[in-house]
Amino acid sequence: MSTIISHPRAYADVTGRHITFVTHDGYGDEIQADSDADVRHAIIRRATSEARRSGAPLELITSGDHGKHRLLVAPDGQVTPLEPPAPAPTPPDRPIGRTQTDGEEVSEQAPQPTATETAAAPAAEPPARPSFLKPPTTAPTASGGWRGVARRIGIAVRPSAADRQRAEWTSVVSRQWAGCRTIAIANGKGGVGKTMTTAMLSAVYAREGGGNVLAWDNNDTRGTLGWRTEQGMYDTTLRDLLPEASRLLTLSAGVSDIAQFVHHQATDRYDVLRSNPELLATDQRIASAEFDLLMQVAARFYRLVIFDSGNDESAERWLRMVDSSYQLVIPTLATPESAESAALLLDALRGRDERSGVLAQRAVVIVTQSESAPTAAHRIAEGFAGHVRAVHIIPFDPALKAGPLRFDALRRRTRDAWFAAAAATAEGL
């Protein structure tokens, strides 16, 4: 008995120098090769990056101008050609009319179908009919102001434009994707709202999508996500999870085993994987291979992972975060220094490699208003418009300034702003 080993499968379709690359979980990339000779190298580079992200060899099927090929691409870049599947044998045609038997030509009537064959033959398609069932839809309801009061006492009121907009955002942020999705929150400058953005986006996705969201403090230098969120039953961090990662990937591991290493947020419904802010950076660094192992664990237990990144853009864990992310979100304050840091990060990613360039092009920038100069945020937002996929402004809110981060503590206007930013981010997943 033979064993068939199944690998994640990706596809690359080639038209001239243009490549459409589709990952094993349905994410599409558009790649433009520099020359005809570079087409194959561009495909292999992208496939190798995807194999590293998934932590396993990748079966790659290419088609288009250069023919159809089937390859196995390892995370280290090694490429092994695979044999195309053998076509199924075609049964010989059954002769009709005259047959040859022992050298004698015999006249034969065309074979008539037996009762069994008649029963097995496909019946003619019945005419199409309309369905009596309609797919369920969620109509927006009035939730605020006098409309909300009227609805709660039983008076039918049409939802406002704001209610309809909120319903659209909810539909987007509650999506359930096939396979784990990842979002990187990054800006090389400290104190620009990365931790706040991580917590607020995690809360929106978990509250509206039914949990299974992980906020990962991917920080070598005193990450504060653990300080601003609830602590769970166990005082554990990423360093405690790492030696247990291989065990959590075994078939015997239960879905609740991860709870020993993360901190659940009771109201906002997401989990936090903490770093240890009491240790020096030299005691918290993790290598690329260790990051990839932890990413495999996260992908097994969560449908969405949001990285709160550190400020060291040369750290291995920071670079692997970028390589492993579907969507980039860049938070900034409404100050020239933090905005310039965000712009420099976008420039650096555009020049790093093709995939990083796509992340920069499709990034979402989130500008947080200050208490003293609320109009400055609009000037910063206008500067990023046209350079990224979306820009959103978060109004000043005292609940975000310091202390625990709780979505319910925000003003209604601030909650709506985070809903809009989360919906724009989810559109890129």
Side-chain angles (χ1 to χ4, degrees), residues 70-83:
R70 186 164 166 256
L71 308 169
L72 188 67
V73 183
D76 62 1
Q78 182 178 354
V79 179
T80 305
L82 297 176
E83 290 294 330

Side-chain angles (χ1 to χ4, degrees), residues 139-225:
T141 57
S143 59
W146 67 269
R147 286 183 173 87
V149 174
R151 183 183 64 85
R152 285 190 287 273
I153 63 176
I155 301 175
V157 181
R158 295 181 62 183
S160 65
D163 291 324
R164 292 193 295 271
Q165 177 65 81
R166 199 171 295 111
E168 291 180 13
W169 292 335
T170 301
S171 175
V172 175
V173 301
S174 61
R175 288 174 181 167
Q176 302 286 314
W177 303 276
C180 178
R181 293 295 190 268
T182 46
I183 301 171
I185 314 296
N187 186 327
K189 191 177 186 306
V192 297
K194 293 191 293 290
T195 296
M196 171 187 69
T197 301
T198 301
M200 293 298 99
L201 292 183
S202 298
V204 172
Y205 295 130
R207 289 163 67 109
E208 301 301 326
N212 294 109
V213 175
L214 178 67
W216 176 340
D217 195 352
N218 189 44
N219 200 330
D220 285 334
T221 53
R222 303 193 188 282
T224 58
L225 183 61

Side-chain angles (χ1 to χ4, degrees), residues 3-11 24 51 54-61 70-75 80 82:
T3 301
I4 299 176
I5 301 176
S6 177
H7 298 286
R9 179 177 292 174
Y11 299 86
H24 69 281
S54 62
L58 181 77
E59 181 182 348
L60 173 65
I61 297 178
R70 186 164 166 256
L71 308 169
L72 188 67
V73 183
T80 305
L82 297 176

Side-chain angles (χ1 to χ4, degrees), residues 295-317:
M295 187 62 235
Q296 290 181 58
V297 174
R300 177 169 185 177
F301 291 93
Y302 296 95
R303 65 182 180 89
L304 179 62
V305 177
I306 304 179
F307 298 106
D308 180 12
S309 67
N311 305 327
D312 185 0
E313 297 167 359
S314 66
E316 288 187 55
R317 69 196 301 175

Side-chain angles (χ1 to χ4, degrees), residues 318-329:
W318 193 95
L319 296 171
R320 289 302 294 142
M321 172 195 73
V322 171
D323 292 338
S324 304
S325 293
Y326 283 81
Q327 176 66 51
L328 174 66
V329 175

Side-chain angles (χ1 to χ4, degrees), residues 10 16 33 102 118 161 164 195 226 230 236 248 272 281 290 308 331 369 388-389 402-403 405 412 425:
D102 296 332
T118 303
R164 292 193 295 271
T195 296
E230 301 171 40
T236 48
L248 291 173
V272 175
E290 294 174 315
D308 180 12
Q369 287 180 341
V388 293
R389 184 167 58 83
L405 292 164
R412 178 62 179 265
T425 302

